[in-house]
């Protein structure tokens, strides 16, 4: 069993701790934003669920100390390429996921398959919405962005996503923040005749936490940059 560092010890961090302990792991560090990194050097792997303004420092410190890191914080991806390069330069191990839920990662693949099918049908327009708890700092969610990118990769009709009123080549995403909602993501293909809808609804944080621990277990002993598609053998 492994020694795990938790970089971020909010609600998600506490659920991750519970699942990791249930699976026989040991927690060697529980770090909030103002805490030190003391103990990180003793970890076999780190799981990073903090805040957008802390993620890059947390991930970088893992690479500096040679600790594999699984990162689930969203809202910092303008620095993602820098983290990939640092991982490669330090011969590290890294998984970033906009959502570690096993069900959501199946949903990502379903979304791409549907987008390929709908690309042939000009009469349908696509839009999306996502709903999260009021503590979520970024909008749209990283999961919604991943879903939108899955559509953009497979539909020549669209060139970008937007939170604003969409142009003809844009996918509209509506982001709602209400109390006590772990995460709901919906995609709608609408025509004058009918609507096709797919939706993923999280009932608790358990799914995100379990997926991150499974990813951490998978990453042990590996080098390089991976995704949940690798963990779940979806490639």
């Amino acid at each position: 069993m492994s020694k795990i560092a938790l970089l971020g010890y909010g609600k998600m961090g506490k659920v991750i701790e519970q699942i990791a302990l249930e699976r026989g792991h040991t927690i060697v560090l529980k770090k909030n934003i103002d805490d030190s990194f003391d103990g990180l050097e003793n970890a076999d792997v780190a799981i990073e669920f903090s805040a957008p303004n802390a993620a890059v420092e947390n991930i970088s410190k893992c690479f500096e100390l040679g600790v594999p890191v699984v990162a689930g914080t969203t809202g910092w991806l303008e620095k993602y390429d820098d983290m990939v390069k640092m991982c490669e330069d330090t011969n590290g191990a890294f998984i970033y996921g906009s959502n570690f839920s096993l069900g959501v990662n199946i949903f990502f693949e379903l979304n791409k398959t549907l987008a390929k099918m709908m690309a042939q049908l000009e009469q349908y327009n696509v839009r999306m919405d996502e709903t999260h708890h009021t503590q979520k700092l970024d909008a749209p969610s990283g999961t919604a962005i991943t879903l939108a990118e899955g559509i953009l990769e497979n539909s020549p009709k669209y060139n970008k996503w937007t939170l604003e009123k969409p142009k003809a080549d844009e996918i509209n995403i509506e982001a709602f923040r209400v109390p006590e909602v772990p995460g709901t993501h919906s995609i709608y293909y609408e025509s004058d005749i009918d609507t096709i809808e797919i939706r993923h609804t999280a009932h608790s944080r358990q799914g995100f936490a379990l997926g991150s621990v499974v990813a951490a277990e998978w990453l042990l002993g590996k080098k390089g940059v991976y995704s949940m598609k690798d963990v779940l053998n979806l490639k």
Side-chain angles (χ1 to χ4, degrees), residues 1 15-25 206 210:
M1 295 295 101
V15 180
I16 292 169
E17 177 185 33
Q18 173 192 343
I19 289 176
L21 292 174
E22 288 172 356
R23 293 171 73 89
H25 302 298
Q206 296 285 123
L210 174 61

Side-chain angles (χ1 to χ4, degrees), residues 179-190:
E180 302 304 320
V181 175
T184 300
H185 295 84
S186 301
I187 300 161
Y188 310 87
Y189 287 88
E190 298 172 326

Side-chain angles (χ1 to χ4, degrees), residues 48-73:
E48 202 282 334
F49 273 86
S50 60
N53 62 348
V56 170
E57 180 184 13
N58 288 341
I59 296 165
S60 299
K61 195 67 175 181
C62 290
F63 294 149
E64 290 171 11
L65 295 174
V67 177
V69 57
V70 170
T73 304

Side-chain angles (χ1 to χ4, degrees), residues 178-202:
V178 298
E180 302 304 320
V181 175
T184 300
H185 295 84
S186 301
I187 300 161
Y188 310 87
Y189 287 88
E190 298 172 326
S191 75
D192 292 337
I193 296 171
D194 57 14
T195 298
I196 299 169
E197 174 186 346
I198 58 173
R199 173 180 295 169
H200 180 275
T201 303

Side-chain angles (χ1 to χ4, degrees), residues 168-229:
D169 65 342
E170 295 177 338
I171 300 169
N172 177 232
I173 304 175
E174 287 190 278
F176 302 102
R177 297 292 175 264
V178 298
E180 302 304 320
V181 175
T184 300
H185 295 84
S186 301
I187 300 161
Y188 310 87
Y189 287 88
E190 298 172 326
S191 75
D192 292 337
I193 296 171
D194 57 14
T195 298
I196 299 169
E197 174 186 346
I198 58 173
R199 173 180 295 169
H200 180 275
T201 303
H203 301 306
S204 72
R205 291 181 172 86
Q206 296 285 123
F208 314 129
L210 174 61
S212 68
V213 176
V214 169
E217 293 168 349
W218 184 91
L219 190 59
L220 287 168
K222 294 180 174 66
K223 300 292 184 183
V225 179
Y226 301 97
S227 71
M228 282 299 284
K229 287 183 70 171

Side-chain angles (χ1 to χ4, degrees), residues 119-195:
Q120 309 169 54
L121 303 173
E122 283 289 321
Q123 66 267 40
Y124 286 90
N125 293 308
V126 67
R127 66 179 178 86
M128 301 171 52
D129 62 46
E130 57 96 343
T131 304
H132 281 86
H133 51 85
T134 50
Q135 289 85 23
K136 185 166 182 59
L137 300 179
D138 54 317
S141 67
T143 301
I145 292 171
T146 300
L147 289 164
E149 288 173 345
I151 298 170
L152 295 173
E153 290 166 9
N154 293 287
S155 179
K157 183 175 180 178
Y158 300 101
N159 292 312
K160 62 182 291 190
W161 59 264
T162 181
L163 287 168
E164 309 299 328
K165 184 175 180 179
K167 298 176 183 175
D169 65 342
E170 295 177 338
I171 300 169
N172 177 232
I173 304 175
E174 287 190 278
F176 302 102
R177 297 292 175 264
V178 298
E180 302 304 320
V181 175
T184 300
H185 295 84
S186 301
I187 300 161
Y188 310 87
Y189 287 88
E190 298 172 326
S191 75
D192 292 337
I193 296 171
D194 57 14
T195 298

